[in-house]
């Protein structure tokens, strides 16, 4: 990141909550990762409380740095402009006024937004998606969603675009959204681990272990991994038919598989497409910190808009 | 249409070629429809020759009207800006310089473009899509394709966006693009007629007759119609997941089925979607002349840009 104001950045994921302090030089001074707190219908309150607590921890470790704003990202359906988390199927909130609550908890102005769109924006402004005008940045982690950039501008669709995790691709398995056969229920990092455990009875430590087992010849692991690749390639082919992006950039936990993800996806996409423009398939270059960097960019943008610096 | 220059408008479809003369008041004085000429690898030349012939017919019927420009639309992959028909699977051309050839044949400046995008633009500027900022206008005729408008602007994807007719939705039947299971091979008006004849051995006069047979209890016709509706609803659900449009507007020959198309599609889309923004499903209001009106709008736009009037 460039020089600018010091800001706090929070990225609330389905599994972890990350908090970072970015200094005026644009460096991340410290990043803290804790499990996302869960408290049933009060999960959103617990998240905001945790955000306040992490801000205090970062302030006490770096008393010389005075952040002037914060960026806060959450998953699900998000109305960036209203500052509201409309709905999260994974974290169980509905119409929660995150921006207002976080501003109270932090005593700072807060830029609020959607985790995947903001992480995608970091890739688009500073990372692997930067060379392209028409590009989709897909995050594959607990869920699957895309950030869409067309003719050089982000497209949010009223906060509801890019939800390709809930594209129906099969008759099963059941998805958190209540439907069967969503991409996310087949090919997200969590789904790959969950489906393997369901099929084999063997508990695994995430999708990474399923890939390792597939590489060592476990046919159940190989079958689940291949069905995930098939589903991803099919949904990407639909994205190509509709939007003809120049590139699809892959981020999130599953992208850590690198060439093991990219190469079989390219082969499958090639086999499906005929006359269409072939998108480049690329790995995200900012990687797992794209969320907090996207949050910091949003906080800096807010400062510029409000003329706070 | 509004007042402006008199223009010629040509809409080349997979089945018919329509030519119209629009006067300064914006009225269509006459519209002529002929079968699209086919001459193997020389089909594009035959189309341009036919366009010249129809221009002469219209000029001799209306000697008092002097068009200052023409609009020409063709199907397939089209580079509007370069004036080139990149590829048409139905009509068999590759990289054909339509604009230059049509300008020679007509002795007029020619605005060239993609049939579905320009027809969609007519619906977006003057028809059923006008109230929306994020909307997809889908034409279902010989082929299936969509014109995409996001945040009030058309999105062309380098001439390759909106090709949802080649979204893969099943393992069969074979599509003109060389793949199996494209939406267009299952649910276009021509595919519905072709599949019925293949399954029943009975020749029919288009998709309309298949719908009539289904309404009178023909189980083969009903099965084919329902599978077409299923495929359309599935692809629309993918469009909703990715773009969350406010509306999907249906045009082309199959949209003449009206409520027989709209109501079962709405029911199916409702059954697939869960938490997503429900798009309004609407019938195109300009209907079968949207192509020539789109061509005339393009010709008028060209005149404005070049300061010809």
């Amino acid at each position: 990141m460039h020089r600018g104001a010091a800001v706090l950045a929070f990225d609330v994921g389905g599994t972890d909550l990350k908090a970072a302090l970015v200094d005026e030089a644009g460096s991340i001074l410290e990043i803290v990762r804790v499990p996302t707190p869960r408290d049933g219908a009060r999960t959103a309150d617990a998240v905001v409380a945790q955000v306040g607590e992490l801000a205090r921890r970062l302030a006490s470790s770096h008393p010389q740095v005075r952040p002037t704003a914060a960026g806060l990202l959450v998953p699900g359906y998000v109305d960036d402009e209203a500052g509201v988390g409309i709905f999260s199927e994974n974290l169980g909130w509905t119409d929660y006024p995150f921006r207002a609550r976080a501003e109270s908890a932090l005593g700072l102005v807060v830029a609020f937004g959607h985790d995947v769109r903001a992480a995608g924006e970091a890739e688009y402004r500073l990372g692997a998606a930067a060379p392209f005008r028409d590009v989709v940045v897909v995050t594959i982690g607990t869920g699957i969603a895309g950030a869409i950039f067309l003719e050089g501008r982000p497209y949010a669709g009223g906060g509801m675009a890019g939800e390709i995790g809930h594209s129906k691709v099969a008759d099963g398995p059941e998805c958190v959204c209540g439907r069967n056969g969503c991409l996310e229920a087949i090919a997200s990092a969590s789904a790959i681990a969950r489906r393997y455990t369901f099929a084999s009875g063997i508990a695994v430590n995430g999708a990474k272990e399923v890939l390792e087992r597939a590489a060592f010849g476990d046919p159940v692991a190989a079958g689940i991994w291949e069905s995930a690749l098939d589903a991803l390639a099919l949904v990407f082919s639909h994205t190509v038919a509709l939007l003809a992006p120049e590139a699809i950039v892959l981020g999130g936990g599953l992208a850590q598989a690198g060439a093991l993800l990219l190469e079989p996806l390219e082969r499958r996409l090639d086999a499906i497409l005929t006359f269409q423009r072939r998108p480049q398939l690329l790995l995200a270059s900012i990687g797992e910190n794209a969320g907090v960097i996207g949050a910091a960019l949003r906080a800096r943008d807010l400062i510029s808009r409000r003329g706070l610096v």
Side-chain angles (χ1 to χ4, degrees), chain A residues 2 14 119 199:
Chain A
H2 307 292

Side-chain angles (χ1 to χ4, degrees), chain A residues 127-150:
Chain A
F132 306 101
R133 282 175 57 77
D134 301 330
V135 54
V136 180
V137 181
V138 177
T139 299
I140 312 176
T142 311
I144 299 178
I148 301 171
F149 303 88
L150 300 175

Side-chain angles (χ1 to χ4, degrees), chain A residues 9-20 31-38 43-55 57-58 71-75 91 93 98 288 292:
Chain A
F10 301 94
D11 177 18
V12 180
T15 308
D16 291 331
L17 193 168
K18 284 189 261 185
I31 206 162
V32 185
R33 180 198 287 245
V34 297
T36 302
R38 295 200 176 235
T43 291
D45 285 331
V47 163
V48 171
Q50 181 67 265
V51 160
E53 168 61 28
L54 292 170
R57 267 170 67 178
L58 289 166
L72 170 63
L73 310 179
V74 304
L91 291 169
W93 58 65
F98 274 101
E288 61 169 351
V292 290

Side-chain angles (χ1 to χ4, degrees), chain A residues 17-276:
Chain A
L17 193 168
K18 284 189 261 185
L21 179 63
V22 175
D23 69 7
E24 294 183 352
S27 306
I28 296 179
L29 288 185
E30 185 179 346
I31 206 162
V32 185
R33 180 198 287 245
V34 297
T36 302
R38 295 200 176 235
D39 188 12
R42 294 175 153 185
T43 291
D45 285 331
V47 163
V48 171
Q50 181 67 265
V51 160
E53 168 61 28
L54 292 170
R56 284 186 289 277
R57 267 170 67 178
L58 289 166
S60 68
S61 323
H62 304 277
Q64 78 289 4
V65 180
R66 294 288 178 88
T68 31
L72 170 63
L73 310 179
V74 304
Y77 269 155
V78 171
D79 187 333
D80 297 28
E81 284 171 36
V84 171
I86 299 171
F87 178 65
S88 165
E89 66 277 18
N90 283 316
L91 291 169
W93 58 65
T94 305
D95 293 328
Y96 187 85
F98 274 101
R99 184 166 58 213
R101 298 292 168 86
E103 287 185 341
S104 299
L106 295 171
L108 290 173
V109 292
V110 171
F112 176 71
H114 183 248
D115 59 346
V116 169
R117 284 198 296 276
E121 203 170 318
E123 287 292 339
Y124 186 67
R125 286 163 68 169
L126 305 172
F132 306 101
R133 282 175 57 77
D134 301 330
V135 54
V136 180
V137 181
V138 177
T139 299
I140 312 176
T142 311
I144 299 178
I148 301 171
F149 303 88
L150 300 175
E151 298 179 351
R153 289 180 295 265
Y155 171 69
M160 290 175 276
E163 290 284 351
I164 59 169
H166 301 284
S167 260
K168 186 176 170 66
V169 292
D171 287 330
E174 199 180 328
C175 180
V176 286
C177 79
R179 205 167 71 183
N180 291 319
C182 292
L183 175 64
E184 183 168 307
I186 296 165
S188 71
S190 354
I192 290 167
R194 190 171 58 238
R195 290 172 61 215
Y196 179 78
T197 298
F198 183 80
S200 68
I202 301 166
V204 287
N205 189 17
K208 189 164 182 289
E209 193 179 329
V210 180
L211 265 73
E212 285 162 3
R213 285 172 177 265
F216 280 100
D218 176 339
V220 176
I224 281 165
W225 176 231
E226 285 177 12
S227 68
L229 291 167
D230 289 344
L232 286 166
L234 182 62
V235 168
F236 290 172
S237 79
H238 296 154
T239 300
V240 170
L242 189 59
L243 294 182
E246 297 158 274
I248 296 175
V249 174
L250 304 176
L254 201 67
Q256 289 171 27
L260 282 182
L261 173 68
L262 216 54
E263 288 172 8
L265 264 183
E266 272 171 353
R267 281 198 302 275
R268 282 168 170 79
L269 195 56
D270 259 357
I272 299 176
L273 297 178
T274 54
F275 57 105
Q276 294 89 347

